[in-house]
Amino acid sequence: MTSRAAKSRGMPRKSKAMPKSTSRPIWPIVIGGVVVVAVLAVLAIFLSQPSTGEVAEPAVSPLAIEGSSLRQLPASGGDPAVGQTIPTLSGLGLDGQPMSIGPDDGAQVIVVLAHWCPHCQNEVPLLTTYLADNPLPEGVRMVTLSTGIDPARPNYPPSAWLEREGWPAPVLTDDADNRGLAALGFQGFPGFIFVNADGTVASRSSGEIPTQAFAQQLAAIAP
């Protein structure tokens, strides 16, 4: 008898089938990862932008300045900017709409404020209350430059502070370089510029101002 072992000798062995490769091309994974990263980047940029009707504080774009900057207000003595035409400052208001402050706006008082300045924090509610009972003279307007804006300092953002206080004047937002502040010739706050109807400086002051002095300066520039 021939054993099974003997029978199997000399017979070709069946080769085992090789498993099919389960590897997939890597390029779709790479492209997918790139797309995800790009979408996340766009989303981050979108979320970092102010929503409609709002403006970044400080302004993202440099404030546009036309005309000559005012000479710097000295600590004492006469003001060299008296009689000088104010420059035009253009940017965005707190409502996100284009806004400018300039000589073509006629008689006006420009109030320069910094949200973290304790003197500004004293002055804003005082003037808000005063103006509620004592309207501006006919033909005189009041505008504001929000400057020295720093998210790391107290009372930020200035828009929330001024809204909370019921501040009655439109506000132009300065940029991170405080170009508006420099163009108006100030180094400290609060600052006040009383402007004649022809766009020239009638007077300037820095620091808190009593309401009586404020009223006198307004009367002096009324057309």
Side-chain angles (χ1 to χ4, degrees):
M1 292 181 64
T2 305
S3 66
R4 291 183 177 178
K7 290 182 179 180
S8 64
R9 291 181 189 147
M11 296 179 65
R13 295 182 179 180
K14 294 182 179 180
S15 60
K16 294 183 179 180
M18 297 295 291
K20 294 182 179 180
S21 175
T22 57
S23 62
R24 297 179 181 177
I26 195 172
W27 61 266
I29 299 175
V30 174
I31 293 178
V34 171
V35 170
V36 169
V37 171
V39 169
L40 291 176
V42 171
L43 182 60
I45 294 172
F46 175 78
L47 293 176
S48 68
Q49 296 301 313
S51 59
T52 303
E54 297 178 351
V55 65
E57 298 175 70
V60 174
S61 300
L63 211 65
I65 311 294
E66 295 182 12
S68 300
S69 297
L70 298 181
R71 298 174 185 173
Q72 192 171 105
L73 179 67
S76 60
D79 184 353
V82 170
Q84 185 180 349
T85 300
I86 65 170
T88 298
L89 282 55
S90 300
L92 294 177
L94 290 183
D95 58 359
Q97 298 301 311
M99 177 181 169
S100 65
I101 297 173
D104 295 335
D105 298 321
Q108 60 189 306
V109 53
I110 305 170
V111 184
V112 179
L113 300 171
H115 62 93
W116 48 266
C117 161
H119 298 290
C120 298
Q121 293 173 24
N122 290 337
E123 195 73 80
V124 163
L126 184 68
L127 288 181
T128 299
T129 300
Y130 172 80
L131 290 169
D133 298 324
N134 303 272
L136 293 169
E138 187 70 27
V140 177
R141 76 167 193 156
M142 183 170 75
V143 292
T144 314
L145 177 69
S146 174
T147 189
I149 304 170
D150 186 350
R153 305 192 79 160
N155 206 33
Y156 179 87
S159 55
W161 164 51
L162 295 172
E163 181 179 2
R164 185 170 63 247
E165 295 291 350
W167 184 244
V171 180
L172 178 66
T173 304
D174 208 348
D175 55 38
D177 293 327
N178 301 320
R179 287 165 54 87
L181 180 70
L184 296 179
F186 284 111
Q187 290 184 309
F189 348 86
F192 298 88
I193 307 178
F194 295 89
V195 184
N196 295 311
D198 63 358
T200 59
V201 175
S203 62
R204 288 188 302 178
S205 66
S206 182
E208 296 180 44
I209 183 172
T211 54
Q212 183 177 2
F214 183 75
Q216 289 174 347
Q217 297 291 351
L218 287 176
I221 62 173

